[in-house]
């Protein structure tokens, strides 16, 4: 079982879960509004990895960004590299789910420190149509300026947030509780989400598909993509599979399941990951 850790990274308190091993160094990045517990079921099926499950800024037990700072992809990439520095890791593998898979793949596009990428349910990030740019930026600014008056909902117990995660993400009660228990804090009257409310604001600017293609083409390391079927509405076929053609060394595995396939079918996902890591190691030795 991974154990909790915390450290200071670039002046920010960072938390997560860690499980040591003699295998490859793997930094795991969770999805939007999830936390390090997202990878706990998977960790049990990958016992040899030196595994760090990170709470990204504003999520789980990690600190919120300072007032005036923005949650953006470039900032997330810098944060990942800062965490690797703090761990003393020169080279490492990135494992990401959803938003975390987007961050992992784009980090590999700009840094040769990434040995391998394992991207679950995303690759490159969400695109933004050109004709939505002005409205998206307007919505972001309005949402951010309204955060000062936003009040957090208080739950008397964990039953309601667990049910909410089950319904929204098609999660089992066990998986939903893992995320909720690390995603809430005790407050007077019960519990509230501990994630930064600013994470709920619409993304200010999204890249075009052409920009995403260019970044995927820049990834030099091997990439294992894992998709669940059926595809999510916001990341449909054939778009999601077509993105693999831009990778220099990409492999695809499609497994039956929901968006959190790594939590609901951890053994199947771990088998894909193990085969990938073994094949890359064998190719390098050969």
């Amino acid at each position: 079982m991974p154990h909790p850790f915390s450290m200071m990274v670039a002046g920010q308190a960072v938390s997560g879960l860690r499980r040591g091993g003699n295998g490859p160094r793997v930094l795991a990045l969770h999805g939007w509004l999830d936390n390090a517990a997202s990878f706990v079921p998977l960790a049990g099926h990958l016992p040899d990895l030196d595994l760090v499950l990170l709470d990204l800024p504003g999520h789980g037990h990690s600190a919120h960004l300072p007032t005036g700072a923005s949650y953006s992809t470039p900032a997330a990439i810098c944060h990942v590299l800062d965490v690797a520095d703090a761990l003393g890791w020169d080279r490492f593998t990135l494992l990401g789910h959803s938003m975390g898979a987007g961050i992992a793949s784009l980090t590999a596009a700009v840094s040769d420190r990434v040995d391998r990428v394992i991207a679950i349910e995303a690759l490159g990030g969400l695109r933004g149509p050109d004709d939505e740019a002005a409205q998206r930026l307007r919505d972001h600014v309005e949402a951010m300026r309204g955060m000062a008056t936003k009040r957090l909902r208080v739950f008397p117990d964990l039953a309601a947030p667990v049910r909410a995660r089950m319904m929204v993400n098609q999660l089992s009660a066990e998986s939903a509780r893992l995320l909720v228990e690390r995603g809430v804090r005790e407050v007077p009257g019960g519990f509230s989400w501990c994630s930064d409310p600013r994470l709920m604001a619409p993304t200010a600017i999204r890249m075009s598909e052409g920009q995403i293609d260019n970044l995927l083409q820049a990834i030099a390391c091997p990439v294992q993509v894992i998709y669940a079927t059926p595809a999510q509405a916001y990341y449909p076929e054939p778009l999601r599979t077509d993105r693999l053609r831009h990778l220099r060394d990409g492999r695809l595995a499609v497994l039956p399941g929901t968006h959190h396939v790594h939590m609901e079918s951890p053994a199947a996902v771990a088998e894909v990951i193990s085969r990938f890591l073994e094949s890359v190691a064998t190719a390098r030795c050969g």
Side-chain angles (χ1 to χ4, degrees):
M1 180 71 178
H3 62 270
F5 76 91
S6 60
M7 57 185 179
M8 297 300 294
V9 177
Q12 285 285 113
V14 172
S15 295
L17 300 168
R18 184 165 191 178
R19 204 273 325 282
N22 296 321
R25 294 170 169 175
V26 178
L27 182 59
L29 312 176
H30 59 77
W32 179 60
L33 298 182
D34 286 350
N35 51 64
S38 172
F39 293 102
V40 167
L42 190 59
H45 296 273
L46 297 166
D48 297 329
L49 301 183
D50 186 357
L51 191 58
V52 173
L53 318 178
L54 193 63
D55 285 332
L56 289 165
H59 294 78
H61 295 177
S62 287
H64 298 182
L65 291 182
T67 301
S70 296
Y71 291 95
S72 66
T73 299
I77 292 171
C78 291
H79 181 72
V80 168
L81 296 174
D82 287 343
V83 168
D85 289 344
L87 292 169
W89 289 3
D90 180 46
R91 299 186 63 81
F92 49 91
T93 294
L94 285 175
L95 162 64
H97 168 248
S98 195
M99 177 188 74
I103 294 169
S105 52
L106 296 181
T107 301
V110 300
S111 174
D112 59 7
R113 295 173 62 183
V114 181
D115 268 335
R116 291 156 294 212
V117 172
I118 302 155
I120 303 171
E121 279 287 274
L123 181 65
L126 295 177
R127 64 180 175 177
D130 294 346
D131 59 2
E132 294 180 3
Q135 186 61 53
R136 174 169 289 282
L137 184 58
R138 183 179 296 114
D139 292 344
H140 173 82
V141 171
E142 290 179 358
M144 292 298 289
R145 287 175 58 81
M147 287 293 170
T149 58
K150 187 177 179 64
R151 299 185 65 180
L152 294 176
R153 181 179 176 185
V154 176
F155 303 97
D157 53 46
L158 297 184
V162 167
R163 284 196 304 271
R165 289 306 304 254
M166 290 173 66
M167 292 177 61
V168 171
N169 298 122
Q170 298 176 281
L171 286 169
S172 65
E174 182 181 7
S175 295
R177 182 166 287 276
L178 272 175
L179 294 175
V180 168
E181 288 179 344
R182 193 170 179 85
V184 298
R185 60 180 176 177
E186 287 195 54
V187 297
F191 302 87
S192 69
W193 298 112
C194 58
S195 54
D196 192 333
R198 290 178 291 174
L199 293 166
M200 296 295 292
T203 305
I205 296 173
R206 281 185 178 170
M207 292 181 289
S208 68
E209 194 65 27
Q211 290 172 318
I212 295 171
D213 292 347
N214 178 260
L215 286 161
L216 294 177
Q217 291 160 11
I219 301 175
C221 69
V223 180
Q224 174 68 65
V225 179
I226 302 172
Y227 290 148
T229 185
Q232 297 288 310
Y234 62 82
Y235 192 39
E237 292 290 3
L239 168 66
R240 67 176 193 168
T241 298
D242 283 349
R243 284 194 178 175
L244 274 83
R245 64 187 174 87
H246 296 287
L247 297 173
R248 304 183 200 181
D249 184 358
R251 306 107 192 269
L252 174 63
V254 180
L255 301 174
T258 59
H259 184 55
H260 286 74
V261 63
H262 64 304
M263 297 190 76
E264 300 296 329
S265 301
V269 172
E271 183 178 352
V272 174
I273 293 172
S274 296
R275 286 201 308 265
F276 169 63
L277 296 176
E278 183 178 350
S279 68
V280 172
T282 300
R284 288 175 177 171
C285 290

